[in-house]
Amino acid sequence: MAHVAQVFVWLAIILLPILLFYDRLAKRIPSRLHPIQKPQSPLGLVPVSGLGVSPFSEGVDIVFVHGLGSNPDTTWKAKGGTELAGKAPAVESIQRDICWVSEFLADDIPPEHKKRIRVYFFNYDSYWKRDAIQAQLNHFGKDLLARLNTEVRQTDEERCRSLVFVAHSYGGLVVKEALVQASGRPDPNNIVDSAKAVLFLGTPHRGSRFSTWGSKIAQLLQPLGSNPLLLFELAYDSPFLLRMHNDFVERCSESLQVFNFYEQRGTNVFNLWFWHWRPLCVEESSATYSSHGVRNLPLPVDHSGLNKFSTRDGSYQAIARNLLKVADSCLHQKCLQRHSMPYKSVDTYTERNKESLEIANKLDMPCDKGGLLGSVVIHGFAGVGKTQLALRYVESHGNLYNTILWLDAENEPKTISSFERCANDLGLSLNQGSTRLNGLVDSPAVQAVLRWLKQRNAEEHAWLVVLDNVNDFDFGIKTVIPAGPYGRVIITSCDSKATMLVDGGSESVQVSVLEQHQSRAILFNHLKWDAVTVSNAKLQNCDDVAEKLGHFALAVDLAGAYISNESNKDATLREYPKIFDQHQDDLLQNNAFQGLRPHDKTVWTVWDTTLERLKNKYSSRPDLVLAFLAHFRGKVVQEELFRLVHSAINEVEQGLDDFPQLPDWLNKLIKQKGEKDEKWDPFNYRQTVNILHRYGLLDIADIGWKGISMHSLIRWRAIRYEQNAPWESWYLIFIVAACKQLRREYDKPHIRRYLVTHLPTMNLMGKGNVEYILDQIGSVLYDEGRWNEAEKMCLQVMETTKRVLGEEHPNTLTSKANLAATYANQGRWNEAEGIVVQVMETRKRVLGEEHPDTLTSKANLAATYGNQGRWNEAEGIEVQVMETRKQVLGDEHPHTLTSKANLAATYRNQGRWNEAEKMCLQVMETRKRVLGEEHPDTLTSKANLAATYGKQGRWNEAEGIEVQVMETRKRVLGEEHPNTLTSKANLAATYWNQGRWNEAEKMEVQVMETRKRVLGDEHPHTLASKANLAVTYMNQGRWNEAEEMEVQVMETRKRVLGEEHPHTLTSKANLAVTYMNQERWNEAEGIEVQVMETRKRVLGEEHPHTLASKANLAVTYMNQERWNEAEGIEVQVMETRKWVLGEEHPDTLASKANLAATYMNQGRWNEAEGIEVQVIETRKRVLGEEHPDTLTSIANLAVTYRNQGRWNEAEGIEVQVMETRKRVLGEEHPDTLASIANLAAIYHASGQCEIAVSLLRDVVPIQEKKLGTNHPDTVSSKAALQQWLNNGGNN
C-alpha cells in the first residue's frame, strides 16, 4: 500500500505543475463563447462600408475570406498606423490598427467604379482551439454558398453580378470547396459562371507541414473543446485535398483567373538567443500550381504579411493592382458577360458606313416612344443585309450597353426559344413547371426577361434588344416589345410597317443594294485580296460580277464563296458573268455551302417565307401580283398601263377568246370601276402594290407618274413562282389591251414610249390570233418610230393573213398597206411603191374604183410619189382621188378635205404657192364650219396655210397663224402633245426665216428638251429638233456647236434608222454645209460626194434630194475655185430640174442663180447677167415682186453690175432691194443688213467713201447685236470698215 501511495504522490508532484501550466495556458486561449473574446463581426457576409450598394447586374462583388481560426476583425488588420490624438500642434500620436481593405483599397478603387463594386468579408467559425464547432471544410464551403445565395445574390440582377474572391490561407480552400460544390449540382444562382477570379494568399492547395504539429496541439486541447479534424484535413498531400484540387481545376477554372500569392519569408515560430526557427508556413510547392489562367506571384513577406498591410507597400500594390485590374476587366467586359448573342457578323462582312451611321444616329435621337430611350427599324427586302448591319452595330457599339439580347422573332416558337435562351444567359430563375402552351405573352421566359429589362433604371444599366426577322406580326410580337427607360430596341424586318410595333412609332433605316465599293469589298474578303494592290483588271472583273447580281448582298456573298472555292479563282471571277448567264438557276439555287456558312439561305430560298406569308395573309394575293409584275419586260411598270388595259380589256378578251381567262385576283386590279363613272378605280391595285412595297419587294418609281420597279433577282425569283400558271398568256392579253387603248389615245407619246419597253417577243406572239396581236403591237411600234421592228411584225401579219385568209382578203390588203407605210418611213420608197400599187390594183378589182379603201390606196400611192419627188404624178392621182371623193362622199366629207389638203401640199412642193394657198384656205374654212375652230384637223389646216405663207416669204402672216395654232393646241391638247410641239417647231422655223435666231434657238431648245423627255432621246421627232437647232447655230455662225449637234444626230440616225435612210443622209448633208462654212472644203466635199452617190443609188438620179446633193457639191467646188467642175454640175442639175420639176420651179430657178454665181466668179459677167435677169423676171412673175428669193436675185444682179463697174445701175438696184427688204422683212433682218453692207461696198467702190463708212458704222453694231460678233456677216463688215478707216476712208 505504501508503495502505491508513493506512486500517487510522485504522480501528483509531476502532474500538478503540468496541470497548473495547462490551466494557465487554457486561460490565455480565447473562447468564441465569451462575449468579449468572440469576434465583433457577425457570422456570414459582412459588407465593407463606404463602397457600392448597387444590386444590379453590371457590378462586381469582392468577397474576402479569412483563414483557419481567424476572423475579419483580425485577418485584414495590421499594427503600426498612427493617428493624431487631438487638433493642437503638439499632440501625441497614437498607434492604431489599419484595415487595408476598408481604408486603402476603398480609396484606390476608381471613383467611376465605386458604385458598382461591393466588398464583403465572409466570417465563418473556423476556430479550432477552444469551444470549437465540430465542422470541416465541406461545411464551410456549403456555408459560403448558402450565404452568397441568400445574402447577396437574392434577385435576378444580383445573380448576374461578377464574383471575385480574395482568400487567405485556409480561406482559399473554403472558396475552392464552395465552387466545387456549386459546379457539381444545378447552379440556379450562377455562382460558378459569375466567379471571374480568385486571389489565393498563401493557400495550401496541397496542405501544410505545420498541420502535423497543429493536429497534435488540437488533440492536446480537446479537453477545451478543440477540433483536430480541421487540421487532419490539411495534412500535406492528403487525398482529400488532392481530390478537391483536381475537381476545382477540372470544373471551375475554364474562365476563372487564379492568382497564387506565396510567401518568401518564413514565419517566426521560436527564438532562442541567436537561434531562430522560421519555417515557411505554406511552402511554394503547396501555394502554387500550374494550369490555364493561373499566375503564381511571390511576395517578400511571411505568411501573415500576405494579408496585413499597414502601408501601401509593394506587397499591397501587387495584390491591389491585380485585384482592381480584375474588377475593371469585369466592369468593362460587361457587354460580353451580358451579351446573349447566338452568332456574330460574317467574316466577309463589308462596312456600310452610311447605313451604320444612320442606325447609330437614330438610336441616339431623343425619344419617349414606347417607354424606350430609342428604337429603330432596319427594313428592306430579304437578303439585303439587315441582320448583318444589326450585328455590326452590336459589335461596334457594344461597350455602350450593359446588356445586349438577340431575339430571333421570325415566328412564335423561335421567339419563345430566344427569350428562354436570354433568360438562361441572364441567370433568371424560371418556373420549371411552366410550359409553352400558354403562348408568347404568358411564357415565363418572356415575362422574366421583360420584367428584368424594365427594372433597369440607371444609365449604367443601359440595354439593347435586337429583334431579328420580324416579318410576321400576327402572333403578337408587338405585345412583347421590351420597354425600359434605359433601353433601346433594333428591329430588322422586310416590312416597313414594323415601325408601328413600337408605341408611338419607331425611327427607320431602309437598306437597299450595295454600293460598288461594298460589293468589291465582299469579293475581296472571300478572295483574300488587298484592295490597295489589286489590279484594275481584277477590279473590273469584280464590278462585272456585282453588276450582274444587281449588287444584292446575299448574291454577291454567295458568288464570292463560289469563286473562292474554285482552284483557279482569277479565271472563275473573270468568267463568272458568262457562267451566270448560262447557269443562273443553278447558281442561285446552289446550296453547296449549307452548314458551312453562318446562314444557309440561298437567293432561291431567301424570299420563301415572305411569299408564303403574302399567300396566306392577304386575299388579294400579292404574291401572285408580284409574279405577274415580274413578267413585264421593262424595268418600270407604270400604273397608267392598268388604266389603259381597263378601257380595252373586254374587247381584247373577245378578240383573243382562245386564250386563258384572266384570274380573279388580276381582274380585281384591272376591271374595278369607280362608283360614279366607268373610269378605272386604282384602289385595289394601289393597296396590293403598297403591301409589296412594305415588304421591300417593290420600289416606287418616280417618272412623272406612279410606277413600280423591282430588283433583278427578285424578278428572277418571282418569275419562277407558281410556274404552272399561264403567265405569258395573261401578260400578252394585258399588253395587247394597253396597245389597243393607246392607239385611241395617240396624244400620250410619253406613255407609248414606256409601253414599247414592255412589248413581248415575237415567239410569244405566235399564239392564238396572231393577226390581231401583231396589229395592235405593230401599230405602237410604228407610232413610236421603231420602224424596223414594226416592219418585222407587219411582215409576219401579212404572211399570216395571206396564208389564213387569202391574198385578196381586205385584212391581207390592209396588212400590206401597213407594211408599205413602214417602208415609206424607212425611206424605202421604191419598195413602198411596189406594194402600194399592188394593193391599189387588187382593191380596184375586188372592191371597185370608188371604194373608200381603193381611194385610200391611191392617196397612199400619191404620197409615195411625193416622197420620191414625182410631184406631177402625185398631183394627177391626188386630183383624181379628190374628185372621186367629192362625188361619192361629198365636198365637205373629212376624207375629201384630206385629199384637198394633200393636193395643197403637192402644190407647195411644186412651188405653186398661190394655188396651194387657195386650196389651204378652202380646206381651213370648211373644217372650221364643219368641225369647229379648235378641232385638230382645223388646226392642221391653219398650220398648212402658215407653211404656205412661209414659202411665199409672208413670214409675219405665217407667224400670226402659227402663234394662234400653238396657243390653241396648248390649251386643247396640252403643252407636251406632239402636235403642240410641232407648232412650236414651226414657229421657231418662222423666227429663223425672219432672222430672229435667238428666239428661234430658245423655242427649238424647249421643243428638243420636251421631246427628249416625252418621246425619248432617239425618237425621229427628237432628232429632227436637234437638227433644226444645229441649223440655227449654223446661221448664228456658231459652227462648232452646230457641228457637235449635227455629228450627234447623224450618228444616232445611222444607228437607229440606218446608213442610207433619207434622214441620215440629210444629217450628213447638213454636216457638210457646216464644214463648208468653216472653210473645211475637203471634208465637206468628201461627205457631199458620199451623200450624192448614196442618194443616186437609193433615191434615183433625178430625185430632188439627189439634185440638191449635186448642187451642194457644186457650191463646194465653187468655194475651192474649181469653177469648171462647179459649172458642169450646175448645168447638169439645172437641166434635170427643168425637165423634172419645170422651168419655173423654185429649185430650177435656184440652180440658174447658182450657175450665174459661178459665171460671175469666172468673170463671165455678161453670161451671169443674162441668167440673173431671166431668174429675176421669172421669180417676179411666179413668186411676186417682193418675195425674198426675188429680192435675192435682184441683189445678185447688183453685185454683177458692181463687178462690171456699172456703179449707178448697181446702186439703183441695191437701194431698191434695201428699201423693199426694210419694208417687207424689217429694218434689222439679216438680209436687210446684208443689203446695206452691199450698198456701202458700192458707194466705196464708186468713190463715195464717207457715205460707205457711215453706212457700215450703222450696220456693224446691229449685226453684232442680232447676229453675234463671230457671225461671218459681222466679221466681214467689221473687216471692211476697219480697212476703209485705215485707208483714211479712201478707195
Side-chain angles (χ1 to χ4, degrees), residues 1023-1068:
L1023 296 175
S1025 294
K1026 291 182 177 181
N1028 292 339
L1029 182 59
V1031 172
T1032 300
Y1033 288 156
M1034 188 166 59
N1035 282 308
Q1036 293 171 302
R1038 296 158 64 181
W1039 313 120
N1040 292 337
E1041 293 169 88
E1043 177 188 357
E1044 182 181 354
M1045 186 75 74
E1046 284 160 350
V1047 168
Q1048 181 186 348
V1049 172
M1050 180 184 71
E1051 294 300 329
T1052 306
R1053 281 176 166 166
K1054 282 164 65 174
R1055 188 178 67 256
V1056 175
L1057 303 177
E1059 282 274 0
E1060 298 184 345
H1061 190 279
H1063 292 179
T1064 306
L1065 297 175
T1066 299
S1067 293
K1068 291 183 177 181

Side-chain angles (χ1 to χ4, degrees), residues 12 28 131 158 284 606 668 756 767 866 1047 1050 1135 1152:
R28 298 184 64 180
D131 301 322
E158 288 182 312
E284 179 182 352
V606 72
K668 287 180 180 178
V756 165
K767 301 178 180 179
V1047 168
M1050 180 184 71
E1135 294 301 328
K1152 291 182 177 181

Side-chain angles (χ1 to χ4, degrees), residues 1204-1233:
Q1204 292 174 306
R1206 297 159 65 182
W1207 311 118
N1208 292 336
E1209 293 171 88
E1211 177 186 349
I1213 293 176
E1214 200 63 70
V1215 169
Q1216 177 191 347
V1217 172
M1218 180 185 71
E1219 295 300 331
T1220 305
R1221 280 176 167 170
K1222 281 182 177 180
R1223 187 179 70 255
V1224 175
L1225 304 178
E1227 291 271 357
E1228 295 183 347
H1229 191 279
D1231 289 354
T1232 306
L1233 299 175

